[in-house]
């Protein structure tokens, strides 16, 4: 695994690969590039819906992903840990949450839960 120099945390490429593995482990998931980023869709054909979108090139310096969250979860997560969670542009007003992958230590069990919840929310 590619790790950072002092923290032992996964670097950007390793974090993206782990997010990919977490997302693709769920049923009926496909990965496609959307808006220039790896994006994971739940469902098939025209009914497929985005449930995770990598956010690495959105005019800031953070490596993160965006996903839909249950009502009230966005506000709770941001209040709990504003260094790790944020309201993403474009979709934040619909309750999506941004999750940083570049803030050590990365809480992979929590990320796995958020991704699974997002998958369930879109009907995966």
């Amino acid at each position: 695994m590619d790790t950072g120099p002092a923290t032992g945390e996964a670097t950007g490429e390793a974090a993206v690969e782990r997010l990919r593995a977490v997302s693709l482990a769920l049923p009926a998931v496909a990965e496609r590039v959307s808006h220039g980023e790896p994006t994971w869709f739940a469902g098939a054909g025209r009914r497929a819906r985005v449930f995770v979108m990598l956010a690495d090139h959105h005019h800031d310096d953070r490596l993160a992903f965006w996903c839909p969250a249950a009502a009230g979860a966005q506000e709770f997560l941001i209040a709990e840990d504003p260094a790790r969670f944020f309201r993403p542009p474009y979709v934040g007003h619909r309750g999506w949450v941004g999750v940083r992958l570049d803030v050590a230590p990365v809480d992979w069990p929590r990320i796995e839960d958020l991704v699974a919840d997002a998958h369930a929310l879109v009907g995966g």
Side-chain angles (χ1 to χ4, degrees), residues 18 20 23 49 53 68 76 92 96 98 102 106 124:
R18 186 150 181 194
R20 176 175 281 119
S23 299
R49 298 289 179 256
M53 174 181 241
F76 174 83
W96 284 48
D102 57 359
V106 177

Side-chain angles (χ1 to χ4, degrees), residues 73-107:
Q74 179 198 74
E75 295 82 4
F76 174 83
L77 292 167
I78 293 169
E80 178 187 65
D81 192 349
R84 191 171 314 278
F85 301 104
F86 61 97
R87 182 180 171 159
Y90 314 113
V91 293
H93 68 281
R94 291 188 293 181
W96 284 48
V97 65
V99 183
R100 293 190 68 153
L101 296 172
D102 57 359
V103 174
V106 177
D107 185 348

Side-chain angles (χ1 to χ4, degrees), residues 27-84:
V29 171
E31 178 179 342
R32 297 193 300 264
V33 174
S34 179
H35 299 85
E37 301 281 6
T39 303
W40 292 273
F41 294 77
R46 299 184 65 112
R47 306 198 114 227
R49 298 289 179 256
V50 173
F51 74 100
V52 172
M53 174 181 241
L54 188 68
D56 190 22
H57 299 96
H58 284 87
H59 312 294
D60 58 30
D61 62 350
R62 57 188 161 200
L63 173 62
F65 70 92
W66 305 344
C67 65
Q74 179 198 74
E75 295 82 4
F76 174 83
L77 292 167
I78 293 169
E80 178 187 65
D81 192 349
R84 191 171 314 278

